Amino acid sequence: MKKIIAFLSAPYLMGTLFLVLAASMGIATFVENDFGTNAAKALYYDSWWFEGIFVLLGINMFLNLGKPYLWRKGKLPVLFFHMSFFIIIIGAALTRYVGYEGMMHIREGQATNQFRSAKNYIAGTVRMGSDEVAFEQAVLMSEKSADYFKETVRVGGHKMMLKSVSFMKNTSMVPMEDPNGKPLVSMVVSVGGGRNNLMLFKGEHIQVGKYSVGFDVEKECDFNIFLQDEQLYFTTTHPVFITDMGTQEKTEVDLSAPQPFYSNVLYGTGDFFMVQTNYLESAALNAVPVKEGQQGSGMEAVVVRIDMDGLTKEVTLQGRGDLIGEDKVIEIGGAQVTLSYGSKLLTAPFSIRLNDFQLERYPGSESPSSFASEVTLEDSENGVVKHFRIFMNNILNYKGYRFYQSSYDEDELGTVLSVNNDLWGTLVTYLGYFLLTLSMILSLMASQSRFRQLGRRITEITNQKKVLIWVLLVGFSAGMQAQDLDAYINVTQQQAERFGNLWVQDNGGRIKPMNSLNGEILRKLVKHNSYKGYSADRVVLSILTNTEAWKHVPLITIKKGPMKGIIGNAGKKASFSDFFGATGNYKLHQQVEEAYRTKPAYRSKFQNEVIKVDEQVNVFYLVQSGKLLKMFPVPGDVNATWLLPGQTASSLTEGDSLFVRNVFSVYLQSLREGNAAQMDTYIDGISKFQTKFAAEILPSNTVRKLEILYNKTNLFLLMAPVLFGLGLLLLIFQFVFLFLPKKSPGYVNRTGVGLLGLFFVVYTAGMALRWYISGHAPWSNGYESMLFIGWSIHLAGLVFSKKSPIALSVAGVFAGIVLMVAHLSWMNPEITNLVPVLKSYWLTIHVAVIVSSYGFLGLGALMGFFNLILIGLKKESKEEKLDLSIVELSSIMEMSLTVGLYMITIGAFLGGVWANESWGRYWGWDPKETWSLVTVMIYAFILHMRFIPGLKSVVAFNVGAVVAFFSVIMTYLGVNYYLAGMHSYAKGDPVPIPDFVYYTVVTVFVVSAYAVYNANRLKKFNT
């Protein structure tokens, strides 16, 4: 028994379980991407072996709670930490086996207490004589779990086996002969040029336009089809003619008596035509899988095989998660079996009445800003009537039921509420979250914690060694001088700035200075914020006033290869006119169509270039045509799309309409003529028009000035080379002096910390400025999250700079690289509006914490890589100064990884709180949250390696820290572009992996392998 307990509580078992869980969850995300959520749940998340791993992990943590040293005062944080995970696992089990959720649909003015289950079920009854057995099983059907359903029923002394044998994700219904079916007629019907394929069973009718068609029904239809003497006939009150399909000759039909309804004969009256295509005496509709590219019905189908007393029958069940399953009846061996597949109805002990559904949109956009349901909760049993407003992140909570705003009907007269009943699971899990957070904070403060021990070790090492650092400062300058553009720039900088001060509405409904739009245009055209020394305002306004000349200015970069041959241009850049032939034909038309027809993962480099160039050509076209300049608000409608120059609206007076149609064209003409007085008059008129009709939604003048200042400074772009260069120079000198027995002057470290500290203040000010301008925290999209990662890396370097100046140097290099990546062409620096679900303080905290963790984990990875280089360069087993530096950096790295692990863990759980407050589920195995948990598991393993025999060496720890960062990259970028989920940009349609990724992997492998080899050769760094 002692051996079993020792095994179940062993650190190596914990480490193994961490890695197995991480690998399983990582694989499951790709299974989900390719085969759907049900496949991932059936094969992984909800499987017995996956739950078994959590049970073993819970047992391991529970047994470790009994170790005496954990109950000492200084070890209480560690005790609480392990206890919290045990509690979280219990909470997850309660949610899994006790809680449930669903969707409630309500129309305005109606009330209901019923909602559909989130899970799908195969349910049924088996009757045999007076004996009846009912069963119900929650199922996870997919192509990879087609045999998920199994049920054994004993009825009337007989044993019946039911088993699912196949599954079809998307189906269409095809008529097939069936001895248990009904007569079926198939037709093609056309009304007013539209074509419809119809199938009518005996006893059914359908309305097509203004005509009704019935098959042997009592209701009087425009066309009544019926069966007589095994022949189809029809009657009608309309004059009918027959059209010969070959000669197109028409023949009137005698309708004094029922007429035969022949197949492949065109019958018509007025604009109504019909042709019988098939007739089956006994048929049923069978589900068949839809071929790729076809739409299908969207219905799933499960084929269930029934075995009883040597007899076998199969039945196809159709259903879908958002529909209640329909019964299908089949008889076998004297037993009547009723089966259904789909969600089931659940009932709450009270009703919800929808009084009003309200939807607000961003001005000039179809994008929702917010939507809400005004409801009344009616509990007649307890005499409770409660009025409530449900909207995103504002939930109705009553008797353990939580109602969340989920969606709405297309006509905006109905709402869809997400329903969750998981009181105890949520409470227990939240208790675990709280205890986990508390233990992490205490572990950073407790005097006997590992974190504080590492701090004391670093101090001791610092007192033993001497390191010389020499800092070189370098300045960077940006900008280009004007070259050969004087003939095309026909406006002054002052005129351009006045133009840039106007307001404009973008396609997402955001109202911003024209200066921001001009910057976005120029970045699309030339990949820079200015062009040959000229500002974006000046270039764009010159294009508008001197369009024909600018059509011949080479703006669009063309790479070597087939593109140059197609365009007929030998230079590095091409002009807009180069892309069009003498007849006005677009030279890239065929290549663009082929590129967009090809899936992103299979596009060639040339096709990717075609798409980029085509986008630039289109941007120039939209600029010169003025189709991006939504400058004129619509009077009386703040939500309307602003008008382009030359447009008009019915709400405009005759004078205002004339102004909108003409003012911009005469403004451009005054610029061409150089009439300064008229220019000012027209630009003032446009500005007053905007203020007059949109004052209540226009940002303040302070916001406008600050946004223009933000655009002009290009703060983060300028800081990228400064941080990178300064950090690299510091790192090079620190690296050199590690091998020199010289003292370092004290002012060097102080100067480095001072400069990077100053840049951090500037960096923080830039982030605050973007926050103020946008009105939301600056980490809501890919570009902003990259900025925040760079900021958190910079912060991590400053935190550990007192322990070692190398940490700050590495942080500077990494922060600079991150800022450079943020300004690559695939990152969009545009400030945008938020979707409703992102307007949550929980989200703000969640993203801030979890993205900050990337900075600390990234700093740890880079210091680990630096350490591996040092280990690889060691020549002797004893190089005291170098040895001390390696141990020092490893200790700092462990501290950084500890902080990073704590933050990503807390951040992931805060994300669960946000998700629970937004749509009623704190964990849903979305790829992003799953990979966050994978990263937590991997770093938990890294920090526990010191307890596992064979993995205690410094070199193993450094290799692990470097390799583990790839899970962070997958969490941050990989999920967004390669997996389908709520956090995805590419919806699972993968984009090509950049070449530098392969080079990075090879470099890490080579450096790590050589470090391991050299460490083994020297037999050093075993702790």
Side-chain angles (χ1 to χ4, degrees):
M1 190 64 182
K2 289 184 177 180
K3 289 184 177 180
I4 295 176
I5 293 177
F7 169 75
L8 291 176
S9 62
Y12 64 81
L13 176 62
M14 181 192 298
T16 302
L17 293 175
F18 280 156
L19 292 183
V20 172
L21 268 179
S24 301
M25 291 187 294
I27 295 170
T29 59
F30 287 93
V31 171
E32 179 180 4
N33 181 70
D34 293 339
F35 302 105
T37 302
N38 280 355
K41 286 185 175 181
L43 299 177
Y44 292 89
Y45 304 136
D46 285 6
S47 64
W48 65 268
W49 63 266
F50 192 81
E51 291 182 343
I53 294 174
F54 274 99
V55 171
L56 286 174
L57 194 58
I59 292 172
N60 182 280
M61 292 181 176
F62 180 77
L63 292 175
N64 275 285
L65 293 178
K67 293 184 176 181
Y69 78 92
L70 287 179
W71 292 86
R72 298 173 188 166
K73 182 178 179 181
K75 293 294 184 180
L76 286 180
V78 181
L79 175 67
F80 291 158
F81 182 80
H82 287 83
M83 188 181 296
S84 66
F85 269 103
F86 182 72
I87 293 173
I88 289 170
I89 290 174
I90 293 175
L94 288 171
T95 296
R96 169 78 185 279
Y97 294 106
V98 179
Y100 56 91
E101 55 188 317
M103 304 295 288
M104 177 180 283
H105 177 238
I106 322 174
R107 297 287 290 177
E108 283 188 357
Q110 297 181 359
T112 184
N113 66 338
Q114 293 184 323
F115 57 96
R116 298 188 311 271
S117 63
K119 293 180 178 179
N120 280 356
Y121 294 82
I122 291 181
T125 58
V126 181
R127 294 186 183 91
M128 196 170 192
S130 60
D131 198 2
E132 179 177 320
V133 178
F135 59 88
E136 177 182 87
Q137 185 182 135
V139 293
L140 295 167
M141 303 306 302
S142 70
E143 289 91 340
K144 290 296 180 181
S145 57
D147 60 348
Y148 190 91
F149 171 72
K150 297 179 182 68
E151 186 74 33
T152 300
V153 177
R154 295 188 181 275
V155 59
H158 298 266
K159 180 180 178 181
M160 179 181 292
M161 304 284 295
L162 300 97
K163 180 181 179 180
S164 57
V165 293
S166 66
F167 173 81
M168 291 166 275
K169 178 67 177 175
N170 187 13
T171 63
S172 60
M173 302 305 293
V174 175
M176 294 184 180
E177 292 184 354
D178 188 332
N180 298 318
K182 296 191 298 183
L184 174 72
V185 61
S186 300
M187 298 175 290
V188 175
V189 177
S190 174
V191 179
R195 177 187 174 95
N196 298 278
N197 294 304
L198 302 181
M199 290 182 290
L200 288 177
F201 281 101
K202 186 177 180 179
E204 293 182 342
H205 69 278
I206 193 169
Q207 188 76 27
V208 184
K210 62 181 181 180
Y211 298 93
S212 58
V213 182
F215 181 19
D216 216 345
V217 293
E218 295 180 1
K219 177 183 176 180
E220 187 65 30
C221 296
D222 292 292
F223 287 87
N224 295 287
I225 302 168
F226 61 93
L227 186 63
Q228 181 176 310
D229 299 329
E230 299 183 355
Q231 168 66 49
L232 289 177
Y233 290 83
F234 76 92
T235 60
T236 180
T237 57
H238 299 276
V240 174
F241 54 84
I242 298 175
T243 303
D244 187 289
M245 305 291 275
T247 63
Q248 298 298 310
E249 291 184 4
K250 297 180 179 180
T251 303
E252 295 291 334
V253 177
D254 181 9
L255 299 176
S256 59
Q259 293 297 310
F261 189 37
Y262 297 112
S263 64
N264 298 317
V265 174
L266 180 63
Y267 296 87
T269 178
D271 63 347
F272 178 88
F273 299 89
M274 67 178 180
V275 178
Q276 182 208 146
T277 56
N278 193 21
Y279 170 70
L280 297 174
E281 292 182 358
S282 183
L285 294 178
N286 285 0
V288 296
V290 173
K291 295 180 181 178
E292 186 175 355
Q294 295 180 347
Q295 184 173 359
S297 64
M299 297 290 285
E300 299 172 352
V302 182
V303 179
V304 177
R305 187 175 66 206
I306 307 172
D307 293 303
M308 179 179 174
D309 297 339
L311 301 175
T312 299
K313 282 193 175 183
E314 290 187 351
V315 58
T316 301
L317 308 176
Q318 271 203 305
R320 204 168 57 194
D322 58 345
L323 297 174
I324 304 300
E326 293 186 4
D327 289 342
K328 193 115 181 218
V329 180
I330 187 171
E331 293 188 357
I332 178 173
Q336 185 184 69
V337 183
T338 304
L339 294 172
S340 66
Y341 168 67
S343 59
K344 68 175 182 179
L345 276 180
L346 300 174
T347 304
F350 52 85
S351 297
I352 300 291
R353 178 179 299 278
L354 177 63
N355 303 315
D356 185 32
F357 177 77
Q358 301 167 356
L359 174 68
E360 297 179 6
R361 303 183 189 275
Y362 285 110
S365 169
E366 291 300 311
S367 301
S369 170
S370 65
F371 44 91
S373 299
E374 295 284 352
V375 302
T376 300
L377 184 149
E378 301 170 347
D379 185 353
S380 56
E381 183 177 339
N382 295 294
V384 175
V385 176
K386 181 179 181 180
H387 300 286
F388 199 83
R389 179 179 174 86
I390 303 174
F391 55 92
M392 204 64 72
N393 305 311
N394 192 64
I395 61 178
L396 170 60
N397 194 341
Y398 185 71
K399 285 189 174 181
Y401 289 85
R402 294 158 66 88
F403 295 85
Y404 307 79
Q405 184 64 62
S406 176
S407 184
Y408 54 89
D409 293 345
E410 288 186 8
D411 61 3
E412 300 175 19
L413 296 176
T415 189
V416 179
L417 303 178
S418 174
V419 187
N420 177 276
N421 189 313
D422 182 32
L423 177 62
W424 288 108
T426 301
L427 288 178
V428 173
T429 303
Y430 278 17
L431 174 62
Y433 289 174
F434 171 76
L435 199 59
L436 178 73
T437 304
L438 178 64
S439 66
M440 290 178 172
I441 294 173
L442 291 177
S443 69
L444 298 177
M445 302 170 58
S447 60
Q448 299 301 315
S449 69
R450 172 71 176 174
F451 191 83
R452 296 294 293 272
Q453 289 175 4
L454 289 170
R456 287 192 290 270
R457 179 197 290 183
I458 294 167
T459 302
E460 292 171 2
I461 293 172
T462 303
N463 294 332
Q464 297 176 36
K465 69 172 190 171
K466 307 290 183 180
V467 180
L468 178 64
I469 301 176
W470 180 257
V471 176
L472 291 179
L473 300 178
V474 64
F476 295 89
S477 61
M480 298 178 62
Q481 299 301 316
Q483 296 177 1
D484 305 323
L485 279 184
D486 292 342
Y488 304 101
I489 301 293
N490 59 347
V491 296
T492 66
Q493 182 60 29
Q494 182 181 3
Q495 293 164 350
E497 286 180 357
R498 293 211 64 191
F499 174 66
N501 271 290
L502 291 175
W503 294 111
V504 67
Q505 186 185 70
D506 64 19
N507 290 330
R510 180 174 182 262
I511 298 171
K512 57 192 177 185
M514 187 72 71
N515 174 265
S516 295
L517 177 64
N518 294 338
E520 293 160 17
I521 290 170
L522 205 60
R523 281 193 296 273
K524 286 289 185 183
L525 287 176
V526 300
K527 311 301 180 187
H528 295 287
N529 294 289
S530 61
Y531 184 57
K532 295 188 176 180
Y534 291 106
S535 68
D537 290 336
R538 204 168 179 188
V539 171
V540 173
L541 189 57
S542 295
I543 292 174
L544 289 166
T545 57
N546 197 11
T547 302
E548 287 304 315
W550 276 92
K551 286 182 179 179
H552 301 282
V553 175
L555 298 172
I556 301 170
T557 302
I558 303 296
K559 295 181 180 179
K560 294 180 180 179
M563 181 73 76
K564 288 185 176 293
I566 297 171
I567 302 304
N569 183 293
K572 293 182 179 180
K573 290 181 176 291
S575 66
F576 178 78
S577 61
D578 289 335
F579 292 90
F580 297 88
T583 59
N585 60 298
Y586 185 35
K587 296 178 182 180
L588 293 180
H589 176 74
Q590 181 180 349
Q591 290 78 10
V592 169
E593 286 194 346
E594 290 178 357
Y596 278 106
R597 282 198 302 266
T598 305
K599 288 186 176 182
Y602 303 108
R603 286 175 186 159
S604 64
K605 289 184 178 180
F606 172 68
Q607 288 178 319
N608 286 322
E609 184 189 0
V610 165
I611 291 173
K612 290 180 181 179
V613 169
D614 176 67
E615 182 185 21
Q616 291 176 281
V617 172
N618 279 297
V619 166
F620 186 91
Y621 168 76
L622 292 172
V623 172
Q624 58 93 24
S625 62
K627 292 185 177 180
L628 296 176
L629 307 180
K630 297 176 185 176
M631 302 167 57
F632 302 99
V634 177
D637 189 356
V638 295
N639 293 316
T641 302
W642 285 18
L643 301 174
L644 296 169
Q647 286 185 326
T648 188
S650 58
S651 57
L652 289 172
T653 64
E654 184 177 350
D656 289 334
S657 178
L658 185 65
F659 178 83
V660 172
R661 286 201 305 268
N662 298 306
V663 66
F664 195 68
S665 60
V666 295
Y667 164 66
L668 295 180
Q669 185 60 36
S670 67
L671 286 171
R672 297 186 189 102
E673 295 172 353
N675 191 325
Q678 286 187 354
M679 295 176 208
D680 292 339
T681 299
Y682 296 138
I683 207 79
D684 288 339
I686 295 173
S687 180
K688 290 177 181 177
F689 185 92
Q690 292 177 339
T691 303
K692 178 180 178 182
F693 293 113
E696 59 187 287
I697 60 173
L698 287 179
S700 67
N701 284 328
T702 301
V703 170
R704 172 164 49 190
K705 291 177 182 178
L706 289 176
E707 184 164 352
I708 293 174
L709 174 66
Y710 174 85
N711 295 335
K712 288 182 176 180
T713 56
N714 293 319
L715 178 64
F716 299 115
L717 180 61
L718 292 177
M719 283 188 65
V722 174
L723 289 177
F724 177 80
L726 179 58
L728 183 61
L729 287 173
L730 286 169
L731 191 61
I732 290 172
F733 280 98
Q734 288 160 352
F735 181 79
V736 169
F737 285 112
L738 283 175
F739 299 91
L740 298 176
K742 293 184 179 181
K743 296 180 180 180
S744 60
Y747 70 86
V748 174
N749 288 342
R750 291 193 296 271
T751 303
V753 172
L755 284 173
L756 285 172
L758 176 62
F759 289 135
F760 179 75
V761 172
V762 175
Y763 200 145
T764 304
M767 295 290 286
L769 181 59
R770 187 175 177 101
W771 191 331
Y772 179 76
I773 293 167
S774 65
H776 58 76
W779 42 78
S780 62
N781 57 37
Y783 173 78
E784 290 180 343
S785 64
M786 288 296 286
L787 295 183
F788 193 67
I789 288 174
W791 181 87
S792 63
I793 292 168
H794 203 155
L795 173 64
L798 287 172
V799 168
F800 294 112
S801 62
K802 290 186 178 180
K803 303 295 183 183
S804 171
I806 294 179
L808 185 59
S809 305
V810 171
V813 172
F814 198 15
I817 292 174
V818 169
L819 286 178
M820 291 177 189
V821 172
H823 290 87
L824 295 178
S825 59
W826 49 279
M827 286 285 184
N828 184 8
E830 180 182 354
I831 297 174
T832 58
N833 289 323
L834 287 180
V835 297
V837 73
L838 298 183
K839 297 178 178 180
S840 167
Y841 58 88
W842 283 114
L843 175 67
T844 302
I845 301 170
H846 154 64
V847 176
V849 173
I850 208 165
V851 173
S852 294
S853 74
Y854 298 162
F856 285 89
L857 297 176
L859 180 63
L862 281 179
M863 287 194 295
F865 188 75
F866 186 76
N867 251 353
L868 291 175
I869 294 174
L870 295 181
I871 294 171
L873 292 175
K874 276 179 60 66
K875 301 297 183 183
E876 303 292 339
S877 59
K878 282 192 175 182
E879 295 183 32
E880 187 173 354
K881 184 179 179 182
L882 196 57
D883 293 345
L884 287 172
S885 295
I886 291 172
V887 175
E888 177 190 50
L889 288 177
S890 296
S891 300
I892 296 172
M893 183 178 67
E894 186 176 347
M895 294 179 71
S896 185
L897 295 186
T898 301
V899 174
L901 174 61
Y902 286 180
M903 294 184 76
I904 195 172
T905 305
I906 294 172
F909 292 148
L910 286 173
V913 175
W914 165 56
N916 197 30
E917 295 301 314
S918 295
W919 48 70
R921 183 188 303 132
Y922 64 82
W923 194 265
W925 295 112
D926 178 77
K928 192 76 162 184
E929 61 191 14
T930 302
W931 269 97
S932 293
L933 185 56
V934 169
T935 302
V936 169
M937 292 294 176
I938 290 175
Y939 277 99
F941 172 79
I942 298 297
L943 292 176
H944 283 80
M945 284 172 61
R946 60 193 173 91
F947 298 112
I948 302 174
L951 297 177
K952 295 183 177 182
S953 67
V954 171
V955 66
F957 179 64
N958 281 272
V959 170
V962 174
V963 174
F965 193 67
F966 285 105
S967 70
V968 175
I969 295 173
M970 182 65 195
T971 302
Y972 175 64
L973 290 175
V975 170
N976 294 353
Y977 293 99
Y978 293 92
L979 297 175
M982 292 183 293
H983 299 78
S984 302
Y985 304 148
K987 300 303 178 187
D989 203 3
V991 295
I993 298 175
D995 291 340
F996 72 84
V997 173
Y998 299 107
Y999 301 143
T1000 302
V1001 171
V1002 171
T1003 302
V1004 169
F1005 175 78
V1006 171
V1007 172
S1008 300
Y1010 187 75
V1012 171
Y1013 162 77
N1014 200 42
N1016 289 333
R1017 182 177 66 86
L1018 298 173
K1019 301 295 182 183
K1020 185 64 182 174
F1021 303 118
N1022 292 315
T1023 60

